[in-house]
């Protein structure tokens, strides 16, 4: 049984039961600003689970790539044990107000025991036992009782109850943590038992604890989660019923493989084992003696491969920051084991996933380039941090050696100037006053929060006349660039002050002098035409339909603020530019007066920055 077979059998199982296969959504959601990465299979289906009619029916199945390293679903710190990964593939099936518990639970049991051949004696289930205003799920209890009785197993030893901390699912966790508008419901999970003789945690905190199916010792593994998606959080904190009762089932392919192979360590399943062997070869060390480090390398680099494949580049913000953390964490573990060359490990990971994700092979050079470049940058930052400290402390007459105590102020300079986190500074062998560092960090965060509030005004430093003129110029430039180079080009950021306009976009080379002249000419022509600029609040779907572009920062759920330069939502063909945008803008393009490019910069792989002046 391979990971590929697990997916293939699941899709066929549900296709036979009239489910339509839906595609794997992009790992970086295109139009959902609530999460940086797709973190569950249900995410692209949220509007339909909430009651909107799906044009393709009521039964769906898919396999979704997900990343859980942020927000309520953050597993980054869990990596290192026998089963936690941050990137994994999730198979899922959904009923949008169609079938419910009495179909779903027997089907999943059948798929796991018959199609995958997993030993039924090793299976246990949990159901929702009630929480605050929600009562115990007696329907799931009676369906499971019948399933176990039908196959000759005693249900009393197989079914366990838990409250919402274990048996409730929403993207934000328990009901209390769900924000207004979020959907969720009670769940029922299936667990696989690796047996009481498992010696995974002989020295762990769990060694004397009473083991139960939902404890974290590693003996039992959750392999399937069915959510009965029924509720929506209201503004006053209460819950209302969704217009329909839905099924949202998800199961991690890697975990099903562990159960199918009866292998309690995911890194030793047929999927990950070749990568572990490659790491052993590259470091000349054994897995047995370096389990934690090798798991970190394997899990974090696998996530990095998929995130880099989604066109994310390491940076200090958002998705880029997560990628930077993951790569640096794997590099730390790799360096600790004396490894140097990550090439073969990346290759082995791509090999590991290529049957289910063939695009990784096509994008191999880009993926490898992104990771290796960050490894180099990290080494460079470490070198600069060290030489900063050597200079500083020699100057004070001290020799700087490993384990040297440095001041919290200096550690903070390294953090802000060279981008090394406190742990990364400690990994270099320096110690410092943690509490003082935390205080400095708090001050810094307050300052950046203020900065971020400003930045969130659509990249505008202020709302002065000059800045607003620059803002309208970015919309003109955006369309002009797309007309010149094609619609794959899109804005990736902007920062506008009264001094200058800064505009970032995806493009892989410097603009030639002729191209710069042409861009200036087109934008100045549109300024001269003195076209009216206005906004409308329109349904987000409609905005997409009429071809609105932009960063989607100003999408407010179902309706969005859209700026038009010329035309309007009824006559979009008459518009020069249609963008999702918070504003503000000038009323007529003529107010921008003139536009001139003053500088171009490269922003790293595939992204450029243009500086311009207006007025
Ligand atoms: N939404 C649930 C999960 O992600 C089931 O698909 O676990």
């Amino acid at each position: 049984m391979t990971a590929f077979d697990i997916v293939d059998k699941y899709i066929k199982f549900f296709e036979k039961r009239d489910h339509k296969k839906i595609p794997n959504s992009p790992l970086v959601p295109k139009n959902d600003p609530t999460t940086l990465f797709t973190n569950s299979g249900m995410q692209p289906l949220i509007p339909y689970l909430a009651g909107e009619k799906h044009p393709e029916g009521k039964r769906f199945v898919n396999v979704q790539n997900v990343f859980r390293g942020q927000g309520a679903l953050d597993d980054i710190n869990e990596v290192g044990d026998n089963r936690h990964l941050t990137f994994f593939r999730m198979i899922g099936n959904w009923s949008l107000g169609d079938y419910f518990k009495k179909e779903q639970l027997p089907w999943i049991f059948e798929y796991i025991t018959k199609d995958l051949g997993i030993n039924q004696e090793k299976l246990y289930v949990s159901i929702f036992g009630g929480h605050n205003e929600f009562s115990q799920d007696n329907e799931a209890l009676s369906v499971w009782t019948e399933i176990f009785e039908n196959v000759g197993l005693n249900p009393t030893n197989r079914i366990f109850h838990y409250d919402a901390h274990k048996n409730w699912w929403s993207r934000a966790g328990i009901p209390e943590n769900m924000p207004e508008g979020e959907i969720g419901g009670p769940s029922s999970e299936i667990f696989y038992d690796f047996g009481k003789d498992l010696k995974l945690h002989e020295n762990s905190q769990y060694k004397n604890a009473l083991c139960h199916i939902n404890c974290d010792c590693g003996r039992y593994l959750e392999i399937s989660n069915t959510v009965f998606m029924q509720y929506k959080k209201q503004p006053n904190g209460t819950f209302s019923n969704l217009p329909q009762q839905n099924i949202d089932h998800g199961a991690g392919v890697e975990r099903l493989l562990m159960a199918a192979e009866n292998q309690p360590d995911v890194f030793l399943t047929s999927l990950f084992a070749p990568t572990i062997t490659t790491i052993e070869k590259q470091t000349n060390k054994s897995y047995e003696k370096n389990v934690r480090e090798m798991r970190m390398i394997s899990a974090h680099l696998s996530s990095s491969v998929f995130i880099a494949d989604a066109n994310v580049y390491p940076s200090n913000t958002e998705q880029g920051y997560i990628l930077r953390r993951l790569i640096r964490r794997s590099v730390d573990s790799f360096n600790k084991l004396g490894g140097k060359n990550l090439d073969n490990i990346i290759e082995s990971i791509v090999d590991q996933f290529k049957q289910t994700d063939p695009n990784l092979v096509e994008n191999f050079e880009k993926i490898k380039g992104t990771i290796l470049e960050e490894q180099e940058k990290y080494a460079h930052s470490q070198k600069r941090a060290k030489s900063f400290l050597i200079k500083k402390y020699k100057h004070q007459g001290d020799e700087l050696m490993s384990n040297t105590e440095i001041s919290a102020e200096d550690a903070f300079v390294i953090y802000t100037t060279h981008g090394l986190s406190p742990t990364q500074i400690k990994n270099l062998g320096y110690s410092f006053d943690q509490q003082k560092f935390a205080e400095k960090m708090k001050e810094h965060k307050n300052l950046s929060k203020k900065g971020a509030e400003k930045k969130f005004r659509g990249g505008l430093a202020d709302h002065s006349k000059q800045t607003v003129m620059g803002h309208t110029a970015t919309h003109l430039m955006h369309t002009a660039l797309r007309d010149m180079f094609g619609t794959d080009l899109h804005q990736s950021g902007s920062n506008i002050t009264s001094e200058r306009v800064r505009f970032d976009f995806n493009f892989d080379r410097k603009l030639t002098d002729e191209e710069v002249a042409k861009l200036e000419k087109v934008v100045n022509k549109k300024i001269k035409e003195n076209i009216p600029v206005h906004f409308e609040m329109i349904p987000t779907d409609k905005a997409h339909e009429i071809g609105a572009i932009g960063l989607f920062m100003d999408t407010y759920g179902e309706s969005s603020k859209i700026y038009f330069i010329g035309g309007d939502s009824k006559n979009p063909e008459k518009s020069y530019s249609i963008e999702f945008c918070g504003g503000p803008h000038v009323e007529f393009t003529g107010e921008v007066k003139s536009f001139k490019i003053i500088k171009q910069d490269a922003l790293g792989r595939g992204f450029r920055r243009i500086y311009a002046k207006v007025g």
Side-chain angles (χ1 to χ4, degrees):
M1 180 86 51
T2 63
F4 182 82
D5 296 330
I6 289 176
V7 174
D8 191 52
K9 283 175 189 286
Y10 184 77
I11 304 286
K12 288 193 175 125
F13 184 98
F14 281 96
E15 277 179 343
K16 247 192 241 152
R17 289 158 182 81
D18 299 324
H19 287 61
K20 188 172 166 53
K21 186 178 175 203
I22 46 174
N24 175 23
S25 294
L27 196 56
V28 175
K30 279 227 168 6
N31 202 10
D32 180 352
T34 55
T35 53
L36 295 177
F37 295 98
T38 301
N39 58 13
S40 53
M42 56 76 87
Q43 199 166 328
L45 288 169
I46 291 173
Y48 308 106
L49 291 163
E52 212 172 280
K53 206 170 149 28
H54 197 296
E56 312 235 20
K58 291 181 171 175
R59 296 179 178 206
F60 297 96
V61 61
N62 89 344
V63 52
Q64 175 67 46
N65 290 349
V66 301
F67 175 74
R68 292 193 170 174
Q70 38 149 10
L73 297 173
D74 186 351
D75 283 341
I76 288 190
N77 293 321
E78 309 290 333
V79 170
D81 67 9
N82 66 322
R83 62 199 184 284
H84 277 97
L85 301 167
T86 45
F87 171 85
F88 58 97
R89 273 83 53 83
M90 200 168 201
I91 44 178
N93 68 280
W94 292 273
S95 154
L96 304 177
D98 190 357
Y99 59 87
F100 208 42
K101 300 178 194 181
K102 65 181 187 337
E103 291 85 3
Q104 171 67 14
L105 299 176
W107 280 346
I108 287 304
F109 191 77
E110 182 183 338
Y111 163 72
I112 288 178
T113 54
K114 299 261 164 50
D115 291 51
L116 300 187
I118 292 175
N119 183 353
Q120 64 179 38
E121 304 274 346
K122 287 180 160 276
L123 300 180
Y124 295 83
V125 303
S126 67
I127 60 158
F128 180 63
H131 186 86
N132 299 340
E133 69 262 51
F134 300 102
S135 47
Q136 171 166 304
D137 188 350
N138 287 327
E139 193 186 348
L141 176 64
S142 77
V143 177
W144 276 123
T145 304
E146 201 179 323
I147 293 172
F148 283 122
E149 278 172 356
N150 283 346
V151 295
L153 294 171
N154 180 356
T156 7
N157 304 333
R158 300 271 158 188
I159 309 170
F160 296 85
H161 309 65
Y162 293 91
D163 74 6
H165 291 91
K166 296 287 187 188
N167 273 89
W168 177 278
W169 201 92
S170 82
R171 293 185 305 162
I174 56 172
E176 292 88 310
N177 292 349
M178 287 165 64
E180 176 191 335
E182 189 67 28
I183 57 173
S187 64
S188 177
E189 299 182 322
I190 304 178
F191 293 81
Y192 181 86
D193 180 10
F194 284 108
K196 66 176 175 359
D197 295 333
L198 193 72
K199 297 269 189 299
L200 270 179
H201 291 277
E202 273 176 334
N203 300 317
S204 88
Q205 53 174 319
Y206 300 105
K207 70 172 188 247
N208 296 321
L210 187 68
C211 194
H212 59 104
I213 63 166
N214 233 325
C215 88
D216 287 320
C217 78
R219 171 178 165 180
Y220 296 96
L221 178 75
E222 179 217 318
I223 56 170
S224 147
N225 180 19
T226 297
V227 183
F228 308 115
M229 197 56 91
Q230 279 163 277
Y231 301 106
K232 184 173 181 168
K233 185 90 169 253
Q234 294 305 311
N236 62 3
T238 61
F239 285 84
S240 65
N241 286 325
L242 289 172
Q244 65 203 28
Q245 291 185 319
N246 305 290
I247 291 292
D248 161 27
H249 172 254
V253 173
E254 292 75 5
R255 289 186 169 205
L256 286 168
L257 187 65
M258 288 167 77
E261 293 182 352
N262 193 30
Q263 171 51 265
D265 183 345
V266 67
F267 298 95
L268 294 181
T269 56
S270 53
L271 187 67
F272 278 93
T275 299
I276 294 292
T277 308
T278 311
I279 300 173
E280 286 182 311
K281 276 198 198 127
Q282 291 297 310
T283 57
N284 232 345
K285 302 248 160 38
S286 75
Y287 178 60
E288 268 158 42
K289 294 207 175 109
N290 302 280
V291 169
R292 206 177 147 72
E293 284 76 19
M294 292 202 187
R295 286 174 176 172
M296 303 264 253
I297 300 169
S298 169
H300 291 324
L301 267 190
S302 300
S303 300
S304 305
V305 161
F306 279 91
I307 295 175
D309 179 51
N311 290 325
V312 174
Y313 297 95
S315 73
N316 288 333
T317 56
E318 307 192 336
Q319 286 93 349
Y321 176 63
I322 305 239
L323 178 57
R324 169 156 287 167
R325 261 179 89 193
L326 292 168
I327 298 175
R328 290 186 175 198
R329 280 189 174 210
S330 14
V331 168
D332 278 341
S333 297
F334 193 53
N335 290 347
K336 205 166 154 196
L337 300 183
K340 292 219 158 45
N341 202 341
L342 281 176
D343 288 44
N344 292 350
I345 304 174
I346 301 169
E347 205 167 315
S348 168
I349 290 172
V350 167
D351 217 48
Q352 162 181 331
F353 290 111
K354 72 174 183 224
Q355 207 181 2
T356 40
D357 294 86
N359 51 310
L360 296 179
V361 178
E362 258 167 57
N363 297 337
F364 177 63
E365 289 305 325
K366 181 189 77 179
I367 294 167
K368 192 169 87 174
T370 304
I371 296 174
L372 296 185
E373 202 171 281
E374 179 59 18
Q375 184 188 18
E376 227 171 78
K377 274 198 188 143
Y378 184 31
H380 192 62
S381 303
Q382 287 176 318
K383 222 159 123 195
R384 284 190 310 176
K386 273 189 189 162
S387 66
F388 161 79
L389 288 173
I390 287 170
K391 263 192 219 137
K392 178 133 195 195
Y393 283 76
K394 269 210 174 137
H395 181 69
Q396 291 176 1
D398 284 327
E399 260 312 303
L400 189 78
M401 302 194 303
S402 236
N403 293 321
T404 300
E405 169 99 20
I406 60 170
S407 72
E409 283 74 18
D410 287 335
F412 198 70
V413 171
I414 293 173
Y415 168 71
T416 47
T417 323
H418 304 295
L420 300 189
S421 69
T423 319
Q424 289 164 354
I425 302 171
K426 275 190 268 157
N427 283 346
L428 283 180
Y430 305 122
S431 56
F432 49 88
D433 186 328
Q434 303 280 327
Q435 195 168 340
K436 266 199 196 146
F437 187 96
E439 280 161 21
K440 287 219 140 284
M441 185 74 139
K442 206 168 149 198
E443 270 169 41
H444 178 74
K445 278 204 172 134
N446 284 340
L447 282 179
S448 354
K449 206 169 136 208
K450 286 202 185 109
E453 277 160 12
K454 260 194 190 168
K455 202 168 109 209
F456 207 68
R457 299 166 90 90
L460 270 59
D462 55 53
H463 285 181
S464 68
K465 175 84 185 146
Q466 191 72 20
T467 304
V468 172
M469 284 154 63
H471 190 196
T472 306
T474 61
H475 284 220
L476 293 173
M477 174 166 35
H478 198 178
T479 301
L481 281 167
R482 287 162 61 93
D483 285 349
M484 283 168 69
F485 299 112
T487 50
D488 279 348
L489 186 151
H490 53 80
Q491 177 181 356
S492 56
S494 70
N495 178 298
I496 303 157
T497 68
S498 52
E499 307 294 313
R500 51 97 183 112
V501 171
R502 202 179 83 188
F503 181 84
D504 303 339
F505 59 107
N506 60 324
F507 200 57
D508 56 7
R509 63 172 173 82
K510 196 173 173 184
L511 266 55
T512 63
D513 291 348
E514 294 73 42
E515 286 164 348
V516 168
K518 184 168 174 203
L519 179 60
E520 288 179 343
K521 196 170 152 201
V522 175
V523 174
N524 280 310
K525 180 166 173 278
K526 293 293 159 193
I527 293 173
K528 270 217 182 75
E529 285 173 15
N530 204 20
I531 312 168
V533 184
H534 79 287
F535 75 82
E536 293 174 40
M537 293 298 297
I538 58 174
T540 304
D541 284 353
K542 162 119 188 166
H544 286 294
E545 227 170 77
I546 62 174
I549 54 172
L551 286 172
F552 306 121
M553 297 255 279
D554 296 280
T555 303
Y556 309 109
E558 281 164 16
S559 75
S560 296
K561 188 172 180 181
I562 305 295
Y563 266 89
F564 294 84
I565 301 185
D568 55 33
S569 59
K570 293 200 184 71
N571 303 288
E573 68 291 347
K574 294 198 176 135
S575 305
Y576 179 64
S577 147
I578 310 177
E579 283 211 28
F580 285 83
C581 177
H585 282 278
V586 298
E587 284 180 26
F588 290 90
T589 56
E591 292 168 48
V592 179
K593 292 187 192 139
S594 69
F595 169 83
K596 182 150 188 56
I597 291 172
I598 49 178
K599 196 172 143 196
Q600 296 187 54
D601 271 344
L603 284 185
R605 311 192 135 256
F607 287 88
R608 304 288 307 181
R609 173 168 285 175
I610 282 181
Y611 289 88
K613 265 192 178 304
V614 293

